[in-house]
Amino acid sequence: MEFCDECGSMMKTDGDKWVCPEGHEKLRDRAKEATMKTTQGQEHSSAVDMSDVDDAEIGPTTRVKCANPDCDNDRARYEMKQIRSADESETRFFTCTECGQKWREDDH
């Protein structure tokens, strides 16, 4: 993946150069590209079967009230991801250990 030095947009290849949506261009560096990772060919990858995995192996849990009003459980698996700009806090994603309800929590 290459980003434009002028506007910061993600660039796409066009022959022997990289081009951004704003029209800025720079020459491709084949040696640098050889070290890049690609997702090409992964479009049809299959889901991972987690049915035989013990819940203790999936990740950390925390004490939090389930978002499902019909569930009284107070434990959920969680993970944190940076989905907004780097100067904002991470978003917490929860999955109830009892009913499987998923929800997210953002700091405002």
Side-chain angles (χ1 to χ4, degrees), residues 2 13 16 18 23 34 36-37 43 55 57 61 69 80 84-85 87 90 97 100:
E2 189 71 28
T13 57
D16 63 346
W18 288 97
M36 293 180 179
K37 298 199 183 299
E43 297 88 6
D55 279 349
E57 297 176 20
T61 62
M80 299 175 74
R84 295 173 287 167
S85 61
D87 64 339
E90 295 176 309
T97 58

Side-chain angles (χ1 to χ4, degrees), residues 38-55:
T38 181
T39 58
Q40 202 169 29
Q42 296 179 13
E43 297 88 6
H44 303 290
S45 61
S46 59
V48 176
D49 181 10
M50 298 291 286
S51 59
D52 291 335
V53 178
D54 185 357
D55 279 349

